[in-house]
Amino acid sequence: MHHHHAHGHAPAGLTGSLIADHETILTALERLELRLGDMKRRGVVDVETVNKFLVFARSFIDRCHHGKEERCLFPCLERRGIPREGGPIGVMLYEHELGRKLVRELDGLLKSYSEGKTGPEAVFNKCEEYIQLLRQHIAKENNVLFPAGESVAESEDVREVTECYEAIEGKEVGHEVHEELERLAKEL
Ligand SMILES: [Fe+2]
Ligand SMILES: [Fe+2]
């Protein structure tokens, strides 16, 4: 008999679902980095690949994953006494904004590259800036903020936050699209 939950697995704790998202995001970043290596050797941007990555960055990383953090986890951590202003949550929010800005800039560069107005280097550099930002951001969450959150969470927080994650995934991308995006991350 094959048992499975509504969508695959339900990772445990306050941050298990977010850590699983991080694994998917890190896979996508690794794939993009590999593809960038090929592009650099050839001296051309593979516009389709970078566009696919942009779709993933906007939907999975930003709307869904950052949505789960900003609307579910961070408010819960604040209620349990982890500070926002001048604290780790403020830094995470700032980096989410930075990520949005880099995605907009990458989108613009890709368009002007397609029109022959920008060389490939600017696109490569912007991709690398984004990869670096996300990797160090994820490391801070996994190693510092999330363990701190787990240590202050009460059992009712886990239930509430998990429901909130489900609602965001369902509303922002839909559960099926969420799984599709997980596949896309591996196929970039
Ligand atoms: Fe984050
Ligand atoms: Fe995150």
Side-chain angles (χ1 to χ4, degrees):
M1 251 244 252
H2 185 69
H3 295 280
H4 75 114
H5 298 281
H7 38 110
H9 48 97
L14 198 67
T15 59
S17 161
L18 301 175
I19 290 169
D21 287 347
H22 285 170
E23 288 306 311
T24 303
I25 295 167
L26 290 172
T27 300
L29 296 176
E30 208 174 292
R31 297 291 312 162
L32 177 65
E33 195 173 49
L34 270 169
R35 302 301 303 263
L36 278 173
D38 297 335
M39 293 183 224
K40 281 180 169 176
R41 275 189 289 280
R42 291 183 289 122
V44 289
V45 174
D46 175 353
V47 174
E48 200 194 320
T49 295
V50 181
N51 258 325
K52 266 195 208 168
F53 181 79
L54 276 172
V55 168
F56 180 80
R58 286 207 183 90
S59 51
F60 190 95
I61 300 179
D62 199 50
R63 282 212 309 281
C64 185
H65 178 72
H66 292 162
K68 283 157 73 178
E69 291 176 343
E70 293 178 4
R71 285 144 74 184
C72 308
L73 180 69
F74 296 170
C76 168
L77 298 185
E78 279 184 66
R79 284 197 301 276
R80 294 295 172 200
I82 295 181
R84 178 187 181 119
E85 297 309 322
I89 296 174
V91 176
M92 295 303 106
L93 290 170
Y94 168 73
E95 290 179 352
H96 289 180
E97 273 311 316
L98 215 54
R100 284 171 193 130
K101 183 173 151 270
L102 291 180
V103 164
R104 282 194 300 273
E105 288 171 353
L106 178 57
D107 186 58
L109 284 170
L110 201 60
K111 286 193 175 100
S112 69
Y113 174 82
S114 304
E115 293 162 1
K117 292 178 193 153
T118 305
E121 283 304 321
V123 177
F124 299 152
N125 292 342
K126 198 58 72 182
C127 287
E128 276 160 3
E129 219 181 310
Y130 186 78
I131 292 170
Q132 267 195 2
L133 172 74
L134 265 286
R135 279 184 179 152
Q136 64 83 29
H137 179 80
I138 286 172
K140 278 190 279 196
E141 288 180 338
N142 281 359
N143 301 326
V144 183
L145 184 62
F146 291 2
E150 294 292 351
S151 74
V152 296
E154 305 286 340
S155 62
E156 73 255 36
D157 293 337
V158 176
R159 191 177 33 79
E160 261 177 48
V161 168
T162 302
E163 279 172 16
C164 182
Y165 292 158
E166 296 277 313
I168 300 274
E169 275 183 24
K171 185 165 146 255
E172 291 299 334
V173 297
H175 294 306
E176 274 172 33
V177 176
H178 195 267
E179 288 181 354
E180 241 168 71
L181 287 167
E182 285 177 342
R183 277 195 298 278
L184 179 85
K186 297 180 191 117
E187 287 163 8
L188 275 174

